[in-house]
Amino acid sequence: MTEPKLLPAGTVTVVCAGDAPPAVFATPGEALAALTGGPAAVHTGDVLIRDDGTPTGPVVRRCRQLRALADEGRILVSARTAADLRDAVPLHDLGVHRLPDLTAPERIFELGGTPGPLRSLDTIPNNLPVQLTGFVGRDAEVADVRRLLAGTRLVTLAGPGGSGKTRLAAQVAGGGEWPDGVWWIELDAVTEVAERVAATLGVPVEPRAGAARSVATELRDRRVLLCLDNCEHVLDGAAEVAVELLRSCPEVAVLTTSREPLGVPGETVWRVPPLAVEEAVALFVERAGAVRPLFALDASSAAAVRSICTRLDGIPLAVELAAAWLGTLTPHQIDAGLDDRFALLTRGPRGAPARQRTLEGSIAWSHDQLDAPDRAVFRRLAVFAGGFTLDAAGGPAVLPALGRLVDKSLVLAEDGRYRLLETLREYAAARLAEAGETAAARDRHLDHFLALAEAAEPELDRDKDAWRARVEPERDNLRAALEWGLAREDPDRGRRLAAAVAWLWNLHGRGHEGLAYLKRAVALRPDDRTVLQARLLTGMGLVADTTAPFDVEAARQGLDLATELGEAGLRARCLSLTALGHLYTDLDAAWDSTFDAEKVAEDAGDGFARDSALTLRGIVQFARDRHDEAEPLLAEAAEGLLRRGDRGLASTVLSVRSGIALAAADLPRARELAEHAVDVAAPLGDFHRVNTTLCRLALVHCAAGDVDAGFRVMEPFRRLVETAGDVFVPGMARVLGELHRRRGEFEAALCWFEREAVAGTYMAAQGLAERGALLRTLGRTEEAAEVLATAVDLTRRWSLPSPLADALDQQGYLAEPEQAAELHHEALSLRVAHGLRLGVLAGLDALTTLLARSGREADAARVLVSASHARAELGFPRRPFEQAGLDALGLSTAEPPMSLDDVVAFVRRTRGSRGRPSNGWASLTPTELQVVKLAAEGCTNPEIGTRLFMSRGTVKTHLAHVYAKLGIANRTELATLAAAHLP
């Protein structure tokens, strides 16, 4: 993300009027002239300006605090602004007042009107401490606690040392409605709480009643807020006072700060959260100004400051201590120094309590008050990463200690899990090392997560959603356990864990990380010929699915080892993974591999491997446009995959089935399946799978003419591509190219289609027809012809009917009418034979243009009207520029539109004379020339049929016609003629 910048705006005057955002003016006079009435406040000082022009910083916040004191209609002016105005306007001196941020009192003036009392803190009795620095952020937290105090009479702000409990409590106290007083009692060095309270309030203590009862008697009829700060070491005494006041004083409220709750009836515990990152950055910038005047965030420092605040967990004390170093270090140096944060953060303001002078001192102060068993539990928690469960921490045996640690705010409890702030975790880790317990604790950690992972494995074959819910929350712990286990002298536990969680890296774009772990695990026992090694190799093949889809070496090695060991389940999966690796580079090999995989999977009872084989077979048939054969295979695979929660492969199946429906011009079905695919993939959060399904949905929108919807679907992906660079998602470039093409943005579309081809794969043929079409549209006909010739060659070689038909059509647009007719009709025949009804619509448009070029306007008009009617019924409008080209032909007819099937039959019947000689080389049709070319290359009749999508009998018929036209009798003679005529 782009880091926000804060740049000095110089000395300006800020106006906070009504509820409007702060406004900045060059001079106080200009500021006052802009005011139309109150309530408002005016203050002058050095202001920082954000990227968006918003003023910020202490001066702006001071102006807001001043505005909070202004009653309706009043305009308050700070002493600084009044000094700048001198006698330019009449001002009323309202005296010295404390603002709600509890900083030192200052003189306030009023512009015009009749002076009256202000609603400042000085109007009520209080002893709230003067704050030497401003209070930054936490507006929502202050409001929340004030609401709690309004509804309940005892609120404890709980949190670890340095979390800002004391400052937050003071801010809350400074803005409440307590007409009889707000009293602050610091309990840092106190042993007798009630006596301190009584002394602070000036209440005489009656010896028989005791201090607590004496205080309650004094406050019984008063509306007072009592603040007890730092109660953790005197919990019993603080609880005694609180209970007495709650029992006897109906209008007294108690606000306490403590590392743990008081534990009395009626107490509401509000745990102080870390600062939000933006608030932490603002705090850093403001505190930095004390040691480095006019410090601001610029392009070089913004990212470093954000990193500092993030790494310090938003703990206010830590942020403030870090900012104090700006007198001698740059933000980048501080950020680098946080690698040893406890050595760095040792400066604190003079006069601060010893426990707050350093971050470590603050944590140590709390830690040292724990008893020995609780300290042991605390330090052992340092081995956890990303939180932990009670079971992981040690189960019921440690629950009492864990509860006490939560109460003391050394551990955070969140939704059934626990965690340590990173700062606390590092402190605990240091104590663990001092105790010489690190290795033992990490061994226990490894054993726990190995047991968890292996116990969860059976769910992979039953319910992957359940497996993910169980394992994914422990991702960080699993990483830590893997690192430790693979580094041990005996790495077998680490290797077992790597094998057990291989599926974890198949998700969320973590493939490279997972492959690294798996490769390490394999390399630790390179000569191992056990089932564990076979599982690791299989895991590598699995993770490579979304990371290195063309790399099948691990799957091959796993297959050899699984075969050697007689492990049918692993063998089935490796066969499927090997087939998957062939998918892009050798469709025939992929097809053949799936049969072995399916049989072995069925014998082993491995549903996932079986459904994977069915899926691959369906995808191969889809690529070759044998949709009637692909659909039942994919439907069967989808049923099992969805039932088991195999979302990754299931979303792919649904996406392919959407493509089948789209090719058949069934728009509702195509949209339904595409949306289902997106929904299935979304919970995975996996870049590859989610975006593959989004590409399909965007393509459906695009084909339906809703380009804006298509771009909206692709927008997050487009931004990511722009950031990440060359990202591979099959079909992504084609979709973006088509979207731009629909908008008439031909150059942009051409760039995307050029990215679609992947050399050495069947995708090398994808997008070539579209590139040729765009080059033709841009007037670059020679380039178009060259690209289209390559397209025809590659699509025939890969046996890809749909892209072949597209390329033939585009060649037809460049050819003379007679040759164009051959090309367009061959394209139409391919589409009809394979049920490519959406492609048929494109073919009819090509034939409309051809008929008009040939002087057959009436036939062209009938075809155009019928095709347009079919498009309207099916929901597939033409691309705007193509519609404009057809409109320019000026065709019209009174004949009613024909059905799609009827218009196809019509153009075939009206094909007319070909104008070609009856014999000799020039008499050969384009199809016959393709047959000759393949025959001359040595292809058999079945091989020619496969390449040209025709039966063996049709090939034989074509060769018979060729022999007759050329006056030859066999392939030998044909090869001689071909050598003389073919390039």
Side-chain angles (χ1 to χ4, degrees), residues 557-573:
Q557 292 180 20
L559 176 60
D560 291 343
L561 185 51
T563 301
E564 174 187 321
L565 297 170
E567 287 290 325
L570 293 176
R571 185 165 180 266
R573 297 203 172 193

Side-chain angles (χ1 to χ4, degrees), residues 286-516:
E286 182 161 330
R287 299 299 186 260
V291 295
R292 188 165 154 186
L294 299 181
F295 172 79
L297 295 184
D298 56 22
S300 67
S301 64
V305 171
R306 175 174 284 267
S307 175
I308 291 166
C309 294
T310 300
R311 296 174 71 181
L312 291 174
D313 298 313
I315 295 176
L317 177 59
V319 173
E320 292 181 341
L321 292 170
W325 278 93
L326 272 180
T328 55
L329 299 176
T330 68
H332 295 283
Q333 289 172 323
I334 296 172
D335 190 30
L338 288 177
D339 289 337
D340 187 11
R341 71 178 74 188
F342 295 127
L344 175 68
L345 298 177
T346 56
R347 290 187 179 178
R350 291 181 180 176
R355 62 182 171 78
Q356 290 184 342
R357 288 178 188 158
T358 68
L359 180 60
E360 187 173 10
S362 181
I363 300 170
W365 190 85
S366 182
H367 174 265
D368 290 346
Q369 295 180 80
L370 300 174
D371 59 25
D374 289 0
R375 289 183 194 175
V377 171
F378 174 65
R379 64 178 176 261
R380 290 164 190 168
L381 297 178
V383 298
F384 291 102
F388 53 91
T389 63
L390 173 61
D391 184 49
V398 302
L399 182 57
L402 194 59
R404 289 189 291 271
L405 291 172
V406 171
D407 286 342
K408 292 173 175 61
S409 301
L410 290 169
V411 173
L412 301 180
E414 301 171 330
D415 299 325
R417 290 179 65 82
Y418 302 87
R419 71 180 178 93
L420 277 68
L421 293 177
E422 180 60 19
T423 301
L424 293 171
R425 194 196 67 78
E426 290 193 8
Y427 180 88
R431 307 289 78 75
L432 189 68
E434 286 176 359
E437 298 175 353
T438 299
R442 295 199 70 174
D443 274 339
R444 286 193 298 270
H445 179 271
L446 171 59
D447 287 339
H448 173 81
F449 286 103
L450 175 58
L452 181 148
E454 292 186 336
E457 277 192 283
E459 289 179 335
L460 285 168
D461 296 326
R462 298 191 300 262
D463 186 347
K464 274 201 177 64
D465 283 340
W467 182 87
R468 281 187 288 269
R470 188 173 177 182
V471 173
E472 282 201 356
E474 306 297 352
R475 184 187 295 272
D476 291 334
N477 280 310
L478 291 166
R479 285 192 186 99
L482 279 167
E483 290 289 348
W484 180 254
L486 294 176
R488 302 298 280 159
E489 184 176 351
D490 179 359
D492 278 356
R493 285 181 299 166
R495 280 162 43 84
R496 284 167 54 197
L497 182 58
V501 298
W503 268 105
L504 186 66
W505 315 112
N506 196 256
L507 309 172
H508 299 293
R510 306 284 187 178
H512 292 292
E513 181 182 7
L515 276 179

Side-chain angles (χ1 to χ4, degrees), residues 848-908:
T848 296
T849 302
L850 174 65
L851 290 168
R853 287 171 60 197
S854 304
R856 299 167 59 184
E857 287 83 358
D859 289 341
R862 291 201 67 188
V863 175
L864 179 61
V865 167
S866 299
S868 298
H869 179 73
R871 284 181 176 275
E873 282 190 328
L874 295 169
F876 295 103
R878 296 182 178 90
R879 301 178 184 96
F881 67 93
E882 291 172 343
Q883 182 65 56
L886 291 169
D887 291 344
L889 296 176
L891 301 172
S892 63
T893 181
E895 295 287 339
M898 294 175 278
S899 70
L900 186 57
D901 291 336
D902 287 344
V903 72
V904 169
F906 173 79
V907 296
R908 286 179 154 183

